[in-house]
DNA sequence: TTGCGTGCAAAGGTTTTGCATGGCA
DNA sequence: TGCCATGCAAAACCTTTGCACGCAA
């Protein structure tokens, strides 16, 4: 029933996944990925990057965040680790911060029980002002 | 120092603000606004709509939400009523729901105290699955 | 051989910008 | 009159799609 074979193994697919894995917790945009491979001589068309990211995100291998203007992706470890994980986007400096915290459980439960809404906190991004910008500005 | 005059008063600016006010809590996209004025005979170019919305949002008159693909706007009442106000976006049916709840205060306090992050909950959108889609699918 | 993967080019949608004109104060 | 606002067209982005070719299985 389920389609097992992760499709073909190609140079491009391998490179993209390896690269994102190598970033650990970091995030990347499609443009950054394309640029990265330009820099390393290897070349992968942006179309291919889009198609791989879409597939990987659909399969749970990556997480996709929609920010203003463009989307960014992050390695999710394959394991469906819907672990406590905040995403904080600073509206001032643009930084995308992630922090672990079990407070998320409370939010999740609250939304489900009181609002009948099953929140996907892995995709949700909290907008606001980060520590540095609070101090600096 | 501060620039007091809210600039000029023009037909277009007036129409746009009136229209958004008339929606109450509702949200609109630029496209919807343009379409609305096409329907009512009045015509306002999309460029003008963009420029007004940007200005109004910057001045706090409107709230801007960045969703996937496009942005949407909502009347903020001028008064900086940063009242308890969830925004829930259903990933399944695309509905944008808003609900009031004082649980937001807790989230806000938590993020500030534990993460040094001043969250802007008015702009934050929670992604997930709504009641209907939970039941239906 | 089969069929998915790739890359190019083009299209689609949203938002921004340049420039001449129009309208408010 | 002076200056901002407007509208058109074009550009800039990001993303998707069509199509022919290439490559893994």
């Amino acid at each position: 029933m389920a389609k097992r074979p992760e499709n073909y193994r190609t140079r491009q697919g391998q490179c993209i996944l390896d690269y994102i894995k190598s970033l650990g917790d970091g995030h990347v945009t499609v443009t950054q990925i394309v640029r990265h491979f330009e820099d390393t001589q290897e070349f992968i068309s942006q179309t291919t990057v889009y198609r791989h990211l879409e597939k990987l995100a659909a399969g749970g291998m990556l997480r996709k965040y929609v920010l203003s203007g463009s989307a960014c992706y992050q390695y999710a470890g394959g394991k469906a680790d819907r672990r406590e994980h905040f995403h904080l986007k600073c509206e001032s400096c643009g930084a995308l911060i992630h922090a672990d915290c079990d407070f998320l459980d409370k939010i999740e439960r609250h939304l489900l029980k009181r609002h009948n809404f099953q929140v996907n906190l892995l995709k949700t991004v909290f907008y606001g002002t980060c520590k540095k910008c609070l101090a600096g500005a």
Side-chain angles (χ1 to χ4, degrees), chain A:
Chain A
M1 204 106 271
K3 67 172 190 183
R4 200 76 320 276
E6 235 135 84
N7 306 314
Y8 289 38
R9 175 187 309 274
T10 61
R11 176 183 71 83
Q12 291 89 337
Q14 200 63 47
C15 286
I16 291 172
L17 188 52
D18 285 348
Y19 176 54
I20 295 186
K21 276 184 183 173
S22 78
L23 296 173
D25 258 5
H27 327 76
V28 272
T29 63
V30 168
T31 305
Q32 289 173 331
I33 294 175
V34 170
R35 211 106 71 186
H36 167 78
F37 288 114
E38 281 173 354
D39 291 348
T40 58
Q41 303 292 352
E42 313 164 271
F43 173 82
I44 303 181
S45 75
Q46 73 169 15
T47 300
T48 297
V49 174
Y50 271 107
R51 290 200 265 231
H52 273 286
L53 294 184
E54 182 186 16
K55 203 165 293 184
L56 291 169
M61 191 71 83
L62 300 182
R63 294 203 278 262
K64 177 181 182 177
Y65 302 94
V66 177
L67 304 176
S68 29
S70 65
C72 81
Y73 297 82
Q74 177 188 41
Y75 186 54
K79 47 180 174 170
D81 77 323
R82 25 179 334 298
R83 191 60 35 219
E84 298 74 18
H85 203 99
F86 271 109
H87 266 95
L88 310 171
K89 171 81 172 176
C90 180
E91 298 181 84
S92 179
C93 68
L96 184 57
I97 305 158
H98 35 80
D100 293 341
C101 182
D102 57 8
F103 185 71
L104 287 182
D105 281 346
K106 290 184 186 170
I107 297 176
E108 192 167 355
R109 275 200 302 272
H110 175 88
L111 286 174
L112 187 56
K113 295 201 171 170
R114 305 297 292 263
H115 302 277
N116 292 296
F117 189 83
Q118 175 64 62
V119 69
N120 174 0
L121 287 170
L122 293 177
K123 188 169 177 180
T124 299
V125 177
F126 292 84
Y127 287 87
T129 311
C130 75
K131 190 179 183 176
K132 275 186 292 188
C133 292
L134 280 176

